[in-house]
Structures are given as structure tokens and as C-alpha cells.
Amino acid sequence: MPLEDAAPVENTAPTSRDRQARLATFAVFFVQGLTFATLLTQVAALQKKHGLSDGELTILLLVVPLIAGAGSALAGAAASRWGSRLILRLVQPLACAAVVLAGLAPNVPMLVAANVLFGLGLGGVDAGMNMQGVAVEREYGRAVLTGFHALWSVAAVVGSLWASAAATLGLGLPVTFAVALVPAAAVAVFSSLWLYRPEEEHRAAAVRAQVAGAVEGAGADAGRPAGAAWRPIIPLCLAMAFLYVGDSSVSNFGTVFMDKVLHASATVIPLALGAYQLTTFLVRVGGDLAVRRWGPAAIVRAGGAVATLGFVAVVAAPTVPLAIAGFALTGIGLSVVAPQSFSAAGRLDPAGTGVAIARVNMFNYVGFIVGAALVGGLADASGFRVAFAAPLVLAAAIILLARGFQPRTADPATATTVVTP
């Protein structure tokens, strides 16, 4: 039968163990955001240190999402057997170490090796931390995942501020990376002790496993384990990819657009990316409350519409202020898609294997790669106004995909899909 939007069932009594796991998951998200920003803020310094051309730098940067996709897939396979706690305990300190090794690398081959190691860590941690976040959300019985992503954004800002401070102090890359990430690795190891163990991670999911077939659908997917079915997660995968096409467009080319199209001053150029990052953070702070009030499908649908409006403003912007406002709107719209994609993937994996979350996470990197290539290629051929029309169209497509984010439940007695009131 047709499914309607539905709000998660509320659980007003999380245990002290649940709160402990939630705090640990916050720590994991914070360390990941700090690790990511600490490396990316030093890309120009790494290029200068190793004398890389722009083309060589582009290839080096593309290594990370390519390898991260493999890391995410491996994490999904491992988590279904050993749980995400073990993955995070092993892989997150590895990601921190990889960034420090990138700073120490004496030559390009060693830098490439460090990037490969970082890519594996990035993909594994991205998948694992969202598995833990979904497990926390299941135990709480209400939307909490967006809050974890908000803290990731805070950590990325902290990483950027540290990079600025380190440059002011004249610190070298090895010291800059080590000061931030040696303590971060220690936090990752310590916090992993509080994460859900495999039996806890899968506990809330186990009660749903017996009715997984009714939720997942029939046909080609019938009879498969819930976490292994592709068909129900395709809308989530596409939405994740389209989100990151837009995100990589803004991150990689937003400042270039401000410079080459609108001829903004050096002081104003960074405000485009700053506006995008700021609104992303602010919306994520209150995102869980909005999801509880209106449901994930409605929030994703509204996010796609706002992001589309933002890209329209960017493409059509005759002035710098309108362009900055467009980038800010884009951040508002896109900010909600990733956490709700992971949350919906968790609901479509009643057995709690983590496979669905890992598969959705892979499309994070697909979108990043496609966005860089698509917008960069169109910009070379037709200019940046035309190039930014590509993420505009894909942001609009998220509106159509929002139905795939609807929570689904099933009646275990009849195995008939029903709607939560």
C-alpha cells in the first residue's frame, strides 16, 4: 500500500548507557571533522612544498575520494560481522596518523601513500561513525543524527582556525598536523571504549529484522537480508551523490566564481564559502527538531527546493551580495540531506548490519568526483555561470527523490506495511 510521511516513534527514556554512547559518537564526529579540515586547509602548502602543478594536485586530490569509496565498502562488510566500534577504534587513529605522515612526507610518492592511507581511513570512519549515529538514533527513538553532523561542522571550523593560527606562528606542516591530530587520535581511542558494542548496536535493530521483507519490498530484492537490498536505498544514494555534486561545486569553485565572474575583492571572495559553511552549521544545529516536527521526507524536499533557489541566485547573480546570499541558501538546503540519507538507510536495514549505510556513504565520494569533473569541465567550455547550472538541476532532482526518505514500519503479525500515525 502507499506509504505516507511518518515521524519516528518517540522514546523519552534513553538509558545512561545510551547517553554515554551518544557522547562517544559526538567525539568521533568531532575528531573526523577536525582531521578532514586540518588536511584540506593545507592543500596549497602541500602543493608548494612538493612543487606540484595544478593538474598533478587535482589528480592527488581525486585519489582521496576514490580510495575512500573502497574504504567505505570494506567498512560495511566488516561492520556486518564485527560491528562499527572495532572499525572506528582501528581506523580513526589511522586517519589521524595519515595526515601527520602527509606533513612529514619528503617526496611525492610518500605523499601519495599518505593520501591513500587517509582515503581508506576517511571512508571507514565516515561509514562507521554514521552507523553508530544511526544506532544511537534507534535507541533514542527520535531524530538525533543531524546534531552529530552539526558538531562535525564545528570541528571543521576549529581545524580551519588552527590552520590560520599555525600559519601566523610560522609552524611547519609536521608540527601543525601533529599538534591537532595526536590529541585527536587519543580522543578517538578513548571514546571508542564508550561506543555501542556489536550486540548493543544491533539490539534495537533486531526487533525489526523479522519484518524486514515487508519493508524492503518484493521482486528481485525479496529474500535478501535487509541490509543487502539495493532497490530501496537507490533514492538515498542518488540524493547523496547530487548533494555532494553541489557541495564540491561550492567548495572547489565558489571562490573562483566570485573572482572570475563577479570580480570580487580578495577580502570578499572567501565570504561565499564562509556563508555556505555557516548556514550549513546553523541549520544542522536545529535540524533534528525540524525532522521530529515535520518528518524527514518533508525536510529533504524543502532542502532540495531551498538549495535549488540558492543555485538559481548564484547563476543569475548580477552583484556580489546576491551571490553570497545564494551560496548561503545553498548551504541551508543541502545541509539536511546527508544526515537524513544515513538515517533513512538505517531504517532500511532492520537487521542493523551497516551495509546500507556504507553503500549510501560511497555515493558521497561519487558526488564529489562527479561534481569536480562536471563543473570544472563545463566551466572550461562555457564559463562558470553555465557550470553552476549543473548542480542547480541536480539539487532540484533531490525534491523528487525525497519520497524515498519516508519512514516505513511494518506490522509483525501480518507482515503488512503500515504507516506510523
Side-chain angles (χ1 to χ4, degrees), residues 5 296-306 336 398-400 402-404 406:
D5 285 356
I299 293 300
V300 170
R301 190 176 294 115
V306 173
V336 299
I398 292 174
I399 302 172
L400 303 178
R403 185 170 176 79
Q406 293 169 168

Side-chain angles (χ1 to χ4, degrees), residues 17 20-29 31 82-94 125 128-129 132 183-198 200-201:
R17 178 68 185 101
Q20 187 182 60
R22 188 181 186 186
L23 287 173
T25 305
F26 271 125
V28 170
F29 271 81
V31 170
W82 296 296
S84 58
R85 177 187 181 181
L86 178 62
I87 293 168
L88 291 167
R89 178 178 294 175
L90 297 176
V91 176
Q92 189 156 47
L94 183 68
V125 176
M129 70 185 188
Q132 284 286 324
V187 170
V189 172
F190 179 76
S191 64
S192 71
L193 300 174
W194 286 4
L195 294 171
Y196 282 132
R197 297 184 295 275
E200 295 174 310
E201 185 178 355

Side-chain angles (χ1 to χ4, degrees), residues 14 32 36 69 74 83 107-108 112 115 128 137 177 182 216 265 268 309 311 322 339 352 384:
Q32 180 74 334
F36 188 77
L74 290 172
N107 51 49
V108 173
V112 171
N115 265 27
E137 189 169 76
F177 290 160
V182 169
E216 291 293 340
S265 67
V268 173
L309 181 61
F311 278 119
L322 184 56
F384 277 98

Side-chain angles (χ1 to χ4, degrees), residues 48-417:
K48 184 177 180 180
K49 175 182 177 180
H50 295 281
L52 301 172
S53 68
D54 289 342
E56 290 169 336
L57 178 64
T58 299
I59 293 172
L60 183 68
L61 292 175
L62 287 177
V63 166
V64 173
L66 285 171
I67 299 298
S72 182
L74 290 172
S80 65
R81 183 171 183 179
W82 296 296
S84 58
R85 177 187 181 181
L86 178 62
I87 293 168
L88 291 167
R89 178 178 294 175
L90 297 176
V91 176
Q92 189 156 47
L94 183 68
C96 295
V99 176
V100 176
L101 290 175
L104 291 169
N107 51 49
V108 173
M110 290 297 295
L111 180 62
V112 171
N115 265 27
V116 169
L117 194 62
F118 175 71
L120 284 171
L122 178 70
V125 176
D126 277 351
M129 70 185 188
N130 281 290
M131 292 174 197
Q132 284 286 324
V134 166
V136 171
E137 189 169 76
R138 279 173 169 158
E139 292 290 351
Y140 269 67
R142 60 181 184 270
V144 299
L145 194 59
T146 306
F148 295 129
H149 286 259
L151 193 63
W152 187 101
S153 298
V154 171
V157 172
V158 171
S160 299
L161 292 175
W162 165 240
S164 176
T168 302
L169 294 171
L171 301 180
L173 285 175
V175 175
T176 299
F177 290 160
V179 167
L181 296 182
V182 169
V187 170
V189 172
F190 179 76
S191 64
S192 71
L193 300 174
W194 286 4
L195 294 171
Y196 282 132
R197 297 184 295 275
E199 61 273 18
E200 295 174 310
E201 185 178 355
H202 300 154
R203 180 178 60 214
V207 298
R208 299 170 174 87
Q210 61 180 323
V211 294
V215 178
E216 291 293 340
D221 292 328
R224 294 185 185 179
W230 268 103
R231 188 173 64 183
I233 67 169
I234 287 175
L236 314 180
C237 294
L238 291 176
M240 180 70 85
F242 296 167
L243 150 67
Y244 276 100
V245 169
D247 182 83
S248 67
S249 300
V250 176
S251 299
N252 292 327
F253 301 109
T255 55
V256 180
F257 179 93
M258 295 290 288
D259 180 26
K260 294 187 175 181
V261 177
L262 297 177
H263 310 293
S265 67
T267 302
V268 173
I269 284 174
L271 296 181
L273 184 56
Y276 175 80
Q277 292 174 330
L278 177 63
T279 55
T280 295
F281 163 68
L282 291 176
V283 171
R284 284 178 171 174
V285 168
D288 288 324
L289 294 175
V291 172
R292 294 171 203 167
R293 173 64 180 82
W294 290 291
I299 293 300
V300 170
R301 190 176 294 115
V306 173
T308 302
L309 181 61
F311 278 119
V312 168
V314 171
V315 170
T319 63
V320 167
L322 184 56
I324 293 174
F327 284 115
L329 280 174
T330 302
I332 291 172
L334 295 181
S335 63
V336 299
V337 179
Q340 294 314 308
S341 296
F342 289 121
S343 183
R347 291 192 297 272
L348 290 171
D349 179 9
T353 65
V355 173
I357 293 171
R359 285 176 173 172
V360 169
N361 185 60
M362 288 171 60
F363 283 79
N364 165 353
Y365 314 116
V366 171
F368 184 90
I369 294 168
V370 171
L374 180 62
V375 175
L378 287 173
D380 287 340
S382 305
F384 277 98
R385 286 196 188 274
V386 173
F388 269 87
L392 186 163
V393 172
L394 295 180
I398 292 174
I399 302 172
L400 303 178
L401 295 168
R403 185 170 176 79
F405 289 75
Q406 293 169 168
R408 304 176 184 187
T409 61
D411 181 349
T414 62
T416 302
T417 305

